[in-house]
Amino acid sequence: MALSASLNLRQSQSLVMTPQLMQSIQLLQMNHLELTQFIAQEIEKNPLLEVQSPSDEASTAERGDSGPQPEEAGSEIDEGAGEGDVYDSATSRSGERLSDGLDSDFANVFPDDTTPQRADAPELLGQWKSMPGASDGESYDLDDFVASRKTLREALIEQLPFALGSASDRLIAQYLIDQLDDAGYLHADLAETAERLGSASEDVTRVLDVLQQFDPPGVFARTLGECLGLQLRARNRLDPAMEALVGNLDLLARRDFASLKKICGVDEEDLIDMFAEIRKLDPKPGTSFETGSFETIIPDAVVRTAPDGGWLVELNPDALPRVLVNHEYFAEISRSCRKSSGEQIFLNECLQNANWLTRSLDQRARTIMKVASEIVRQQDAFLMHGVDHLRPLNLRTVADAIKMHESTVSRVTSNKYMLTPRGLYELKYFFTVSIGSAENGDAHSAESVRHRIRTMVNQESADAVLSDDDIVDILKKAGVDIARRTVAKYREAMHIPSSVQRRREKRALARVG
């Protein structure tokens, strides 16, 4: 067969992911913080974009309708007097009235402080008027005056000068402080630390022994047992029996009380007292300090009770920044820019990107509203009666109801939150696995079944601890068709120990009580 070149025309259809379409998909799955950062970057690059939140508009309207300013009120007292004169005349008149009534001269009570107060008052008054919130009558934000909390590192650095004298010891101590985690544990190898700092291993061990006496007790421990032992030593409670108990925490976790009594050499009553002492200790002493900034969750949708008894779903305006396109600025710049240069091309691209961003944000808000409204419609019983009435729900059900793809619903529910009368929940919380009914009725949600198991375990007594088989029987009587292995899986996922361990723990707690 001979080879030859030929030219063929073929027509086909294909779905192409444009960069703008990809960014629209990314916008859909962004949370509030990521969306705010993305908009800030776009505003920095695009001169035609502006952002204005509803709170700014409300505050502007309130300032426009505000009453007379402090300067206007002062002018009513004396049109020809300044701020200092108003202060002095008011003070002198009040002093004269008090002097006449009590036959005393209050002007000479503090003669040394009279002149500085009158001289500093106008300056202080001007500073007060220049502060934010003073001119419009708004009160101060008390959070601006709250002292910042100390971090664990700062608290330990303050104790160094009182414990270590030499510069080399302080250098080793500062290195060990930098190796602590947020809980106050030390994970650095002492031999490697000594080699890195060029010091002897004995010096590093000696410095560590000093640091382990710092507040809070238990810091610089390398294991949980050492952390508890340091706290017991600080309380003068680390006797041989307690030291043996701290060295066998694995037996305590398994509730193997018989082995602990033999190892510690105590009877049951003393062992219960030792348990009570252990429960008073802090396994993570460093968590009581400030570890960093925390992000406040802002709900994307808010659910309220409607006047007709239904539910009213609204988008949270604080989670939807209003992005505007400045067309006036575009028209002004277009008249002055040169057509032949790349200025007009750049300006047109900015306008196109700005219009695309506003349309994408509007579409994102509409999609979130649709998904949230359908979730509220599906989970009406949960909003009325609680977790026990949470219905099983999957992405396909919501996607078919709002005529969208499952992937779109999955992106919308990712890192999005809804504020309900029952509390703040992530949208993915309402999507749970279905568990069949034992009476051919409606299926049950896996989350509601886990909630029932947790409630039953919390309500059981030391003499009537429920086994997994007992929980299965109770759930089947309630109409839930569930297997024993599923109950065990849910129990382990909720970190609930077995019935044997729970019985030991509850009996020990009952004796302590």
Side-chain angles (χ1 to χ4, degrees), residues 194-212:
E195 182 180 359
R196 180 170 299 181
L197 297 179
S199 303
S201 301
E202 295 79 7
D203 295 337
V204 177
T205 305
R206 176 175 51 82
V207 171
L208 179 60
D209 293 338
V210 176
L211 293 178
Q212 288 182 344

Side-chain angles (χ1 to χ4, degrees), residues 284-462:
K284 297 181 179 180
T287 55
S288 59
F289 293 85
E290 184 72 28
T291 57
S293 58
F294 297 93
E295 177 188 352
T296 303
I297 296 178
I298 300 178
D300 297 270
V302 180
V303 181
R304 297 185 179 93
T305 305
D308 57 353
W311 302 104
L312 182 62
V313 184
E314 297 176 344
L315 293 178
N316 186 8
D318 295 334
L320 298 173
R322 184 181 179 187
V323 180
L324 305 177
V325 181
N326 196 338
H327 293 279
E328 296 181 359
Y329 183 70
F330 172 77
E332 181 181 353
I333 298 299
S334 298
R335 289 193 297 267
S336 60
C337 66
R338 293 170 293 180
K339 304 296 182 180
S340 58
S341 63
E343 298 176 357
Q344 187 65 36
I345 299 176
F346 170 76
L347 198 60
N348 292 334
E349 290 180 354
C350 289
L351 180 62
Q352 181 180 0
N353 294 334
N355 291 330
W356 163 81
L357 181 59
T358 55
R359 290 194 301 267
S360 299
L361 292 176
D362 182 70
Q363 182 64 30
R364 176 181 181 272
R366 294 175 183 272
T367 306
I368 294 176
M369 185 66 179
K370 290 181 180 180
V371 174
S373 301
E374 182 61 25
I375 290 176
V376 170
R377 192 183 69 84
Q378 295 283 347
Q379 301 293 352
D380 177 75
F382 163 78
L383 298 175
M384 292 290 294
H385 307 288
V387 184
D388 290 338
H389 295 79
L390 189 66
R391 294 180 53 190
L393 186 65
N394 53 30
L395 297 176
R396 178 179 293 275
T397 304
V398 176
D400 295 341
I402 63 177
K403 308 301 181 182
M404 290 186 177
H405 197 268
E406 293 182 40
S407 60
T408 303
V409 177
S410 177
R411 293 186 181 96
V412 171
T413 56
S414 177
N415 298 322
K416 307 294 189 308
Y417 293 85
M418 182 165 58
L419 182 62
T420 69
R422 294 284 174 182
L424 182 65
Y425 296 93
E426 189 179 5
L427 294 183
K428 283 190 176 296
Y429 173 82
F430 300 98
F431 296 88
T432 58
V433 181
S434 174
I435 297 179
S437 175
E439 300 175 354
N440 297 325
D442 295 335
H444 300 270
S445 170
E447 183 62 30
S448 64
V449 173
R450 283 192 289 265
H451 177 72
R452 293 185 184 184
I453 295 174
R454 190 185 304 110
T455 303
M456 285 188 288
V457 171
N458 293 334
Q459 294 178 351
E460 64 186 6
S461 61

Side-chain angles (χ1 to χ4, degrees), residues 94-106:
S94 61
E96 291 175 359
R97 289 194 298 268
L98 290 174
S99 301
D100 296 340
L102 300 177
D103 194 17
S104 300
D105 186 7
F106 287 91

Side-chain angles (χ1 to χ4, degrees), residues 437-509:
S437 175
E439 300 175 354
N440 297 325
D442 295 335
H444 300 270
S445 170
E447 183 62 30
S448 64
V449 173
R450 283 192 289 265
H451 177 72
R452 293 185 184 184
I453 295 174
R454 190 185 304 110
T455 303
M456 285 188 288
V457 171
N458 293 334
Q459 294 178 351
E460 64 186 6
S461 61
D463 298 331
V465 177
L466 300 175
S467 63
D468 293 343
D469 293 328
D470 296 335
I471 295 176
V472 170
D473 295 338
I474 295 175
L475 290 176
K476 286 187 176 180
K477 292 179 181 179
V480 181
D481 186 12
I482 190 171
R484 181 184 179 278
R485 61 178 180 275
T486 306
V487 171
K489 181 181 68 174
Y490 287 170
R491 178 179 53 78
E492 293 174 358
M494 292 184 292
H495 303 287
I496 298 176
S498 62
S499 59
V500 177
Q501 295 177 348
R502 296 201 309 273
R503 183 179 294 106
R504 291 175 180 175
E505 182 178 3
K506 290 181 182 295
R507 288 180 177 176
L509 293 177

